[in-house]
Amino acid sequence: MSIYKLLCFILLFASGFLHAQPEEYREIKQIVEQKCLSCHRTNGYAPFGLEKKDDWLKRKKFISYVIQQNIMPPWKADEHYRSFSNSKALNKHEKELLLKWLEADMPGMNVQLIQPTIFAQGSQVLRKPDLIVRMPKPFTVPGNNKNTYICYKIPYEIDQDTFVSGIEFIPGNKAVVHHASYQIIAVAPDVNMYGGPDYFVYDADTLNRVRDDHDYAYFNLIGEGNQMPIELYHNGWLPGTSAQVYPEKMGFYLPKKGVILIRNFHYSPTPVAQQDQSSFYLYFASSVPDRKIGFAAFKPKNPTPDGQWLIHANDSQFKSHINVRFHNDVSLLAINPHMHQLGKNFLAYAVTPAQDTIKLIHIPEWDHNWQEFYRFRTLIKISAGSVLHAEAEYDNSSKNPENPFSPPKDILFEWGMNEESEMMRLVLLYLPYANGDETVSLE
Ligand code: HEC
């Protein structure tokens, strides 16, 4: 290349990045804010912030690599099958733009990308929570290198009844918190929520056979006249799960006195004892929601064809299915597929009575480290008589790098929750259908 050409090239390059920049930078800023900063900011969920230019300069090569390899942002759903409103995936254009920008040392970026606002610790929501409900005491996870499963009761009291339009689970100790499924319950006025124990530890083998009434009695949550608690909301958190924030008019009722019961709180194995004190952040609704969010979890009916409840060692193509018929018209808000380390891929769709297929989700390469409540772009109507189909495939061979056992061994399927077990769940957040739901945006 002649000096002249080189000069032109440099000038073009430089002008492209250093001058005619503001628009391109605005777009980049928006991408970064939407797809990185929800986790990568001071006090955020990720281990480091990406708010400052210096944060990018320091990790320039590494960031390029994780973007190119689709490692970051973490997003496992196939966007061609169905795209979601909380998608963190970068499309081709966004990827190219970011990589080019990185290559040129982040032109347009001043010292700070976003204004340094004080966000609540670990939160992904750009708003101060209205209520923080924290485990009253830290729980000590034993250093025995085994999974620990507990059920934990957190009572709360506020000045008056209200409504909630968003909720976030904030793991206290990210090194050990594996997942949490929780319910918010109202208790009878005469119940002393603070009486009885704070928690119990599950025997991992019996975890799938928990009984509400036993647990409520154990925690002293049943009223004098045998009044059972009422479930108001139910949801879960897994690594990668976004905050659950609902549009106007959707949410759930929160009485001034109630309990968040973490029904299934799973801690990963650790060689040394660790403490955890996790929290919930609640965001109150500005108006009274008239749509109450429902939660449904489905599991396979006939877990294994041979009735042995096992995924045999070296079986790399084990399949499981869920088929459910809907009896009412419902509107789907979000979908959450769940498997453990042997998971390979997951597909879910509904077939209407007119034999139309409604694509719901496809996860081509399952990664148990990143699970999500995938929120649809608009409410999805599933009419009565439709059948929901889900298909999951598992790899229990040594080709699966996530296989917890080497050499592989027989793994229990849908039987208990210990480290030697696998499962298949399809969780839906839904509303009873109302006219016009098909056009209600969830963006
Ligand atoms: C849903 C939350 C989330 C989003 C969104 C996200 N990250 Fe991350 N990121 C994480 C977490 C958590 C880790 C730590 C991963 C670990 O320890 O395995 C991480 C790690 C990283 C790493 C280090 C890689 C490694 O293997 O340790 C880089 C670099 C990175 N992220 C860049 C980005 C960029 C750039 C974006 C946006 C384009 C982004 N991330 C979006 C949560 C997120």
Side-chain angles (χ1 to χ4, degrees):
M1 193 185 295
S2 72
I3 292 287
Y4 175 75
K5 267 191 184 159
L6 186 68
L7 211 64
C8 283
F9 182 75
I10 290 172
L11 279 175
L12 253 170
F13 193 71
S15 66
F17 280 107
L18 300 177
H19 301 296
Q21 250 309 303
E23 244 141 71
E24 199 158 286
Y25 178 63
R26 248 199 306 278
E27 190 181 350
I28 286 166
K29 187 163 178 280
Q30 205 175 22
I31 299 168
V32 171
E33 282 176 2
Q34 285 172 0
K35 312 232 164 138
C36 310
L37 296 187
S38 58
C39 301
H40 285 278
R41 60 182 145 84
T42 314
N43 296 336
Y45 172 64
F48 53 88
L50 286 175
E51 301 137 296
K52 296 197 289 296
K53 183 157 187 166
D54 201 38
D55 300 329
W56 290 80
L57 274 173
K58 264 198 306 222
R59 305 182 177 81
K60 195 178 131 174
K61 282 226 171 71
F62 200 19
I63 296 176
S64 296
Y65 174 80
V66 297
I67 290 176
Q68 273 162 7
Q69 299 293 316
N70 294 324
I71 298 169
M72 285 284 149
W75 192 258
K76 299 297 155 191
D78 170 1
E79 291 276 306
H80 300 295
Y81 191 76
R82 162 74 71 187
S83 80
F84 296 89
S85 69
N86 57 343
S87 172
K88 302 276 188 306
L90 297 174
N91 63 34
K92 194 161 165 277
H93 163 75
E94 292 171 331
K95 235 166 128 171
E96 282 169 6
L97 209 60
L98 269 182
L99 289 172
K100 218 168 71 174
W101 181 66
L102 270 159
E103 192 52 49
D105 280 344
M106 289 69 71
M109 185 176 188
N110 297 321
V111 177
Q112 197 91 31
L113 180 70
I114 49 168
Q115 291 305 314
T117 316
I118 304 301
F119 297 105
Q121 182 83 29
S123 173
Q124 294 184 34
V125 179
L126 300 175
R127 195 179 123 192
K128 208 166 145 269
D130 297 300
L131 174 65
I132 297 181
V133 179
R134 196 163 187 226
M135 288 160 71
K137 290 185 211 117
F139 173 73
T140 303
V141 186
N144 59 4
N145 268 324
K146 289 197 164 140
N147 285 295
T148 303
Y149 302 90
I150 65 170
C151 181
Y152 200 106
K153 173 183 78 172
I154 318 179
Y156 71 85
E157 279 180 86
I158 48 178
D159 292 341
Q160 55 189 29
D161 297 347
T162 187
F163 294 90
V164 170
S165 64
I167 182 166
E168 241 185 330
F169 171 82
I170 308 291
N173 182 343
K174 284 182 276 187
V176 283
V177 173
H178 179 283
H179 92 263
S181 68
Y182 58 90
Q183 58 179 176
I184 299 183
I185 53 181
V187 291
D190 60 13
V191 164
N192 171 17
M193 309 179 293
Y194 303 96
D198 292 327
Y199 71 89
F200 67 81
V201 179
Y202 284 103
D203 160 7
D205 293 330
T206 56
L207 205 55
N208 271 349
R209 285 161 271 157
V210 294
R211 294 252 324 254
D212 281 357
D213 48 349
H214 288 182
D215 296 349
Y216 293 152
Y218 178 83
F219 285 122
N220 200 42
L221 297 175
I222 300 179
E224 289 279 328
N226 207 21
Q227 278 172 285
M228 292 298 275
I230 298 167
E231 179 182 278
L232 302 166
Y233 184 75
H234 192 142
N235 208 324
W237 179 91
L238 301 143
T241 302
S242 331
Q244 306 293 302
V245 183
Y246 304 113
E248 276 285 289
K249 298 279 174 200
M250 290 178 205
F252 58 92
Y253 168 69
L254 191 76
K256 63 182 178 185
K257 172 182 164 187
V259 169
I260 301 186
L261 194 59
I262 309 182
R263 293 306 297 271
N264 181 351
F265 200 172
H266 178 179
Y267 292 104
S268 308
T270 164
V272 288
Q274 298 247 14
Q275 296 226 312
D276 169 59
Q277 193 167 9
S278 294
S279 320
F280 292 87
Y281 292 173
L282 288 97
Y283 302 86
F284 295 164
S286 53
S287 58
V288 178
D290 50 12
R291 318 266 331 250
K292 185 182 165 292
I293 294 161
F295 172 101
F298 301 106
K299 57 183 191 175
K301 268 222 183 72
N302 303 305
T304 57
D306 58 5
Q308 289 197 53
W309 303 71
L310 286 179
I311 305 181
H312 294 287
N314 300 311
D315 183 349
S316 63
Q317 292 178 328
F318 178 88
K319 291 195 179 66
S320 177
H321 300 268
I322 291 171
N323 300 302
V324 192
R325 187 174 295 276
F326 283 69
H327 297 291
N328 300 301
D329 292 348
V330 298
S331 295
L332 302 185
L333 270 159
I335 188 164
N336 162 245
H338 177 61
M339 305 186 275
H340 298 168
Q341 284 101 317
L342 298 187
K344 195 168 152 189
N345 53 60
F346 199 107
L347 177 73
Y349 55 93
V351 178
T352 68
Q355 297 303 310
D356 289 327
T357 296
I358 302 174
K359 295 176 176 178
L360 295 176
I361 192 161
H362 178 216
I363 300 191
E365 288 175 49
W366 177 256
D367 181 344
H368 71 107
N369 292 310
W370 296 110
Q371 307 195 27
E372 179 59 282
F373 275 75
Y374 294 92
R375 192 162 65 236
F376 297 109
R377 291 201 181 272
T378 58
L379 287 174
I380 305 273
K381 179 185 180 184
I382 307 287
S383 49
S386 299
V387 179
L388 174 75
H389 296 280
E391 303 166 14
E393 195 178 7
Y394 300 79
D395 181 354
N396 190 14
S397 75
S398 49
K399 273 180 283 165
N400 175 0
E402 297 294 324
N403 197 325
F405 297 100
S406 171
K409 57 188 255 185
D410 288 355
I411 294 289
L412 287 167
F413 190 65
E414 289 296 338
W415 192 253
M417 267 228 197
N418 58 20
E419 49 268 56
E420 299 178 20
S421 301
E422 255 300 340
M423 65 193 296
M424 175 184 189
R425 285 288 177 285
L426 181 68
V427 177
L428 297 175
L429 297 183
Y430 68 94
L431 304 161
Y433 175 76
N435 273 335
D437 268 359
E438 296 87 337
T439 59
V440 172
S441 167
L442 299 174
E443 299 285 347

